[in-house]
Amino acid sequence: MYVGTLSFDLLLGDVHSLKEKRSVVRPIVAELQRKFSVSAAEVGDQDLHRRARVGVALVSGDAGFVSDVLDRCERLVAARPEVELLSVRRRFHGDED
């Protein structure tokens, strides 16, 4: 069994309230879940209106599949014009961990 996680630190563009922040972050989380069948959620910086931390997790029996899906998730978030991807933290856990 292999578990892969990503943690995205995002800077949001023209956002002036927490309500506007939700209207930017929710579609990103929903698209990650829909396109890649991963678990995704806003996991930090909930009280800041221009920053967001989004977490993604995936479990599979194939290490290559986990790596490929996480790569595609990262590219999707990086391509979103309404956010700036400040950093990505990737973790990978295998049977030997």
Side-chain angles (χ1 to χ4, degrees):
M1 174 178 72
Y2 300 95
V3 179
T5 62
L6 292 173
S7 178
F8 298 107
D9 186 9
L10 304 174
L11 178 64
L12 308 180
D14 191 29
V15 173
H16 303 289
S17 69
L18 293 176
K19 186 175 181 179
E20 289 178 7
K21 174 185 179 176
R22 282 192 306 273
S23 71
V24 172
V25 174
R26 281 186 179 169
I28 294 171
V29 169
E31 187 174 7
L32 287 165
Q33 292 169 334
R34 182 178 43 79
K35 277 191 167 182
F36 305 115
S37 297
V38 296
S39 294
E42 183 179 1
V43 296
D45 297 331
Q46 282 96 345
D47 57 339
L48 302 174
H49 68 273
R50 292 212 53 227
R51 295 289 293 270
R53 187 166 301 275
V54 174
V56 172
L58 174 67
V59 177
S60 176
D62 180 1
F65 177 76
V66 172
S67 182
D68 181 53
V69 170
L70 294 181
D71 287 343
R72 290 189 286 153
C73 288
E74 186 174 342
R75 284 193 299 270
L76 182 138
V77 173
R80 297 293 292 238
E82 67 273 21
V83 300
E84 180 181 342
L85 184 56
L86 298 177
S87 69
V88 179
R89 182 172 184 184
R90 179 183 294 232
R91 290 190 149 187
F92 191 85
H93 305 279
D95 287 334
E96 292 79 35
D97 292 346

